[in-house]
Amino acid sequence: MPVLLFLLFAFTSTQVNLIEVRQLYDKAIYNEDAAQNLITKLANSTNNTLVGYKGVANMLMAKHVYLPNKKLSYFKTGKAILQNAITVEPNNAELIYLRFVVQCE
């Protein structure tokens, strides 16, 4: 029984929490470190909504860097990631909302 509890705890502690991601996204709009942290947390995510957040985090990094080629690179990478996530789930309202918010910035 203790081994089962340990395995359950180990498995759940490595998963990324959507609520935590949403809070970090709010900070990433204004903070480069938060945006980079969000990209790092979501690097291996397989959940499509979280993949969409990874794309948005890349686009937000474009806001925080100075060089135009870096801005363009971050934005294009993020745009492709987000668009792929929307293609997989075209009716996911959260992904569509994220795309809308980024377009309004």
Side-chain angles (χ1 to χ4, degrees):
M1 184 70 170
V3 173
L4 266 174
L5 290 175
F6 173 76
L7 290 175
L8 180 64
F9 178 77
F11 179 71
T12 57
S13 66
T14 59
Q15 289 184 345
V16 178
N17 184 356
L18 187 57
I19 295 170
E20 179 186 351
V21 168
R22 289 176 182 148
Q23 292 170 346
L24 197 53
Y25 166 75
D26 287 339
K27 293 176 186 173
I29 294 171
Y30 305 105
N31 186 324
E32 180 180 355
D33 292 333
Q36 192 61 49
N37 188 15
L38 190 57
I39 292 170
T40 303
K41 275 188 180 289
L42 299 174
N44 298 324
S45 182
T46 57
N47 179 315
N48 199 49
T49 302
L50 295 178
V51 170
Y53 272 100
K54 181 173 75 172
V56 171
N58 272 284
M59 287 190 268
L60 287 175
M61 278 299 294
K63 184 177 182 178
H64 301 300
V65 295
Y66 179 73
L67 296 173
N69 61 338
K70 283 284 214 183
K71 284 181 179 287
L72 190 60
S73 175
Y74 273 119
F75 188 80
K76 282 184 172 181
T77 301
K79 179 183 170 191
I81 293 169
L82 181 58
Q83 188 57 46
N84 286 340
I86 291 173
T87 302
V88 171
E89 282 186 68
N91 295 325
N92 186 326
E94 189 162 2
L95 293 176
I96 294 168
Y97 175 74
L98 286 173
R99 181 173 59 187
F100 173 73
V101 169
V102 168
Q103 288 173 348
C104 289
E105 292 249 344

